[in-house]
């Protein structure tokens, strides 16, 4: 009788543990197998952010986030073109990933504790170290965010910018009125039309907007204050560590290639290098690809078809007028640092 009671108690306790485990902690599907069976990677991106993700005049997607997706496709398939880009809003992006509509996000998305701990998601890399800023019209005469007392400020909902903005104004004892608009094009149009005194977003997004204005770009000025840390990177579903490793190490491979001086243009000249780090990178020794479930030349394909990190930056971000700054390699005073590929 006593054994039966103990068994019943243990059973109830175990059931309680099972019920207490959040749904996202259950064994994840094999994302890589699903991608291979489908024949392409589904990647969630922003619909219209110059420098990060935007279709060109021929409908071809371009940008740093786009190249993040293409790098993963090159690692998995040996073909960077095997990607379907899915435009997501700030409101739909996480649901799209959680539901499996997309395999990963590369969508100017900030890594935060709350997002990683509560949404069942994992940030695999930091492709852009960013920070939130403010933009005003040059003719406003405003030269500091601390002069925005009483201002109306355009901001997107469902982003870290709302909280950061509120914290900044509260900390500095300034009054403000938010003008909340979800669609990025509508919020930019509202700022241009004068519906708000200032526009706040990640500094990279503000630079992208300013660049998109062409001959009118000089009408707008970014204020000097950066009020937050906004590490942007690729996001995957929590629990599928095989896919997580591939996404993470694809970025690290591009950083490593830059460290080693390997580019898409000179890649073949390294084929017979006796440098052990280069040999492992090229897939000649170490079986690193097989450890990831990939071909041993996976890193070669990433760089050949997409480029090293410097090439990706120069192609997409430099035209915006944004310097490498803290996004430079660690050897040049920046934060981009790849663990050893060995």
């Amino acid at each position: 009788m006593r054994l039966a009671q103990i068994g019943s108690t243990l059973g109830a306790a175990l059931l309680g543990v099972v019920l207490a485990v959040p749904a996202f902690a259950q064994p994840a599907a094999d994302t890589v197998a699903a991608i291979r069976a489908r024949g392409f990677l589904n990647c969630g991106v922003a619909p219209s952010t110059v420098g990060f993700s935007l279709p060109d005049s021929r409908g071809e997607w371009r940008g740093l986030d786009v190249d993040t997706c293409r790098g993963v496709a090159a690692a998995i398939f040996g073909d960077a073109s095997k990607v379907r880009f899915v435009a997501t809003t700030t409101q739909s992006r996480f649901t799209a990933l959680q539901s499996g509509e997309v395999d990963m996000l590369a969508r100017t998305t900030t890594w935060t504790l709350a997002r990683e701990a509560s949404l069942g998601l994992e940030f695999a890399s930091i492709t852009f170290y960013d920070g939130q800023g403010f933009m005003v019209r040059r003719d406003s005469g405003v030269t500091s965010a601390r002069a925005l007392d009483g201002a109306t400020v355009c901001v997107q909902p469902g982003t870290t910018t709302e909280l950061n903005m509120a914290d900044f104004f509260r900390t500095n004892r300034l009054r403000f009125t938010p003008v909340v608009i979800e669609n990025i094009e509508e919020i930019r149009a509202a700022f241009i039309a004068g519906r708000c005194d200032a526009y706040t977003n990640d500094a990279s997004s503000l630079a992208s907007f300013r660049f998109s204005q062409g001959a009118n770009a000089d009408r707008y000025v970014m204020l000097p204050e950066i009020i937050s840390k906004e590490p942007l990177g690729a996001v995957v579903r929590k629990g599928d560590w095989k896919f997580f490793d591939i996404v993470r190490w694809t970025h690290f491979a591009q950083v490593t290639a830059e460290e080693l001086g390997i580019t898409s243009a000179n890649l073949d000249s390294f084929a017979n290098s006796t440098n052990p780090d280069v040999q492992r990178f090229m897939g000649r020794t170490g079986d690193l690809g097989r450890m990831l479930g990939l071909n041993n030349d996976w890193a070669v394909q990433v760089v050949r078809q997409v480029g090293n990190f410097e090439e990706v930056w120069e192609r997409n971000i430099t035209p915006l007028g944004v310097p490498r700054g803290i996004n430079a390699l660690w050897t040049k005073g920046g934060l981009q640092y790849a663990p050893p590929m060995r």
Side-chain angles (χ1 to χ4, degrees):
M1 189 69 178
R2 187 175 179 184
L3 287 175
Q5 289 176 333
I6 292 173
S8 177
T9 301
L10 286 173
L14 289 172
L15 178 61
V17 170
V18 171
L19 291 176
V21 175
F24 60 74
Q26 300 302 316
D30 188 338
T31 305
V32 178
I35 291 168
R36 284 181 169 144
R38 187 191 309 128
F40 56 87
L41 170 76
N42 282 325
C43 197
V45 295
S48 56
T49 302
V50 177
F52 290 85
S53 55
L54 180 72
D56 64 16
S57 59
R58 297 179 299 173
E60 291 290 326
W61 285 87
R62 306 291 181 190
L64 184 144
D65 287 343
V66 168
D67 283 344
T68 297
C69 304
R70 289 197 170 118
V72 174
I76 293 175
F77 293 108
D79 186 344
S81 71
K82 292 191 174 183
V83 186
R84 182 174 74 98
F85 296 101
V86 180
T88 60
T89 67
T90 55
Q91 299 292 335
S92 70
R93 54 183 165 171
F94 297 127
T95 302
L97 182 56
Q98 291 164 331
S99 68
E101 179 185 353
V102 298
D103 303 306
M104 61 178 284
L105 283 179
R107 195 202 177 283
T108 54
T109 298
T110 301
W111 184 354
T112 71
L113 184 153
R115 287 174 173 174
E116 195 164 83
S118 67
L119 297 180
L121 308 176
E122 201 80 30
F123 283 75
S125 63
I126 299 176
T127 53
F128 194 106
Y129 290 90
D130 207 351
Q132 185 174 334
F134 292 90
M135 177 172 284
V136 296
R137 286 176 293 280
R138 187 176 295 277
D139 61 14
S140 69
V142 175
T143 58
S144 169
R146 291 179 175 82
L148 291 174
D149 190 26
T152 54
V153 185
C154 280
V155 63
Q156 279 186 287
T159 66
T160 57
T161 55
E162 283 186 291
L163 177 61
N164 295 336
M165 177 182 66
D167 286 349
F168 172 80
F169 279 91
R170 185 181 303 111
T171 300
N172 289 280
R173 298 182 180 180
L174 304 174
R175 297 168 294 111
F176 76 102
T177 301
V179 179
V180 181
I181 303 173
E182 179 177 346
N183 183 276
I184 187 69
E185 295 304 325
E186 291 180 10
I187 200 170
R188 290 171 173 175
F191 174 60
I192 292 172
R195 287 181 56 193
C196 44
D197 301 310
Y199 170 31
T200 186
N201 209 327
D202 292 349
S204 60
S205 181
L206 296 178
S208 173
F209 159 73
R210 187 175 184 275
F211 177 82
S212 71
Q213 298 306 297
N216 294 325
D218 196 51
R219 295 181 181 179
Y220 309 101
V221 59
M222 288 180 59
L223 300 179
E225 292 86 358
I226 296 296
I227 67 171
S228 70
K229 294 183 292 184
E230 304 293 330
L232 311 180
V235 195
V236 300
R237 287 181 290 276
K238 194 183 290 288
D240 190 344
W241 303 115
K242 178 180 178 182
F243 185 51
F244 172 88
D245 285 345
I246 291 172
V247 175
R248 164 173 279 187
W249 281 96
T250 295
H251 173 65
F252 286 154
Q254 292 176 298
V255 173
T256 299
E258 183 181 353
E259 292 176 346
L260 294 172
I262 301 174
T263 71
S264 58
N266 67 17
L267 183 66
D268 291 334
S269 68
F270 286 83
N272 297 316
S273 172
T274 58
N275 182 326
D277 289 331
V278 173
Q279 290 180 334
R280 286 188 288 268
F281 183 91
M282 302 294 286
R284 294 174 56 201
T285 61
D287 271 352
L288 299 182
R290 292 182 184 177
M291 294 178 190
L292 291 169
L294 305 172
N295 292 332
N296 277 339
D297 71 341
W298 65 281
V300 170
Q301 296 304 324
V302 171
V303 174
R304 186 184 302 281
Q305 299 182 46
V306 183
N308 68 22
F309 189 69
E310 181 179 32
E311 290 178 280
V312 171
W313 184 279
E314 290 295 323
R315 180 165 59 241
N316 299 302
I317 305 302
T318 295
L320 303 182
V322 178
R324 279 289 293 267
I326 60 173
N327 286 286
L329 292 181
W330 64 284
T331 54
K332 298 180 179 179
L335 298 176
Q336 287 294 347
Y337 182 104
M341 290 182 65
R342 59 173 182 261

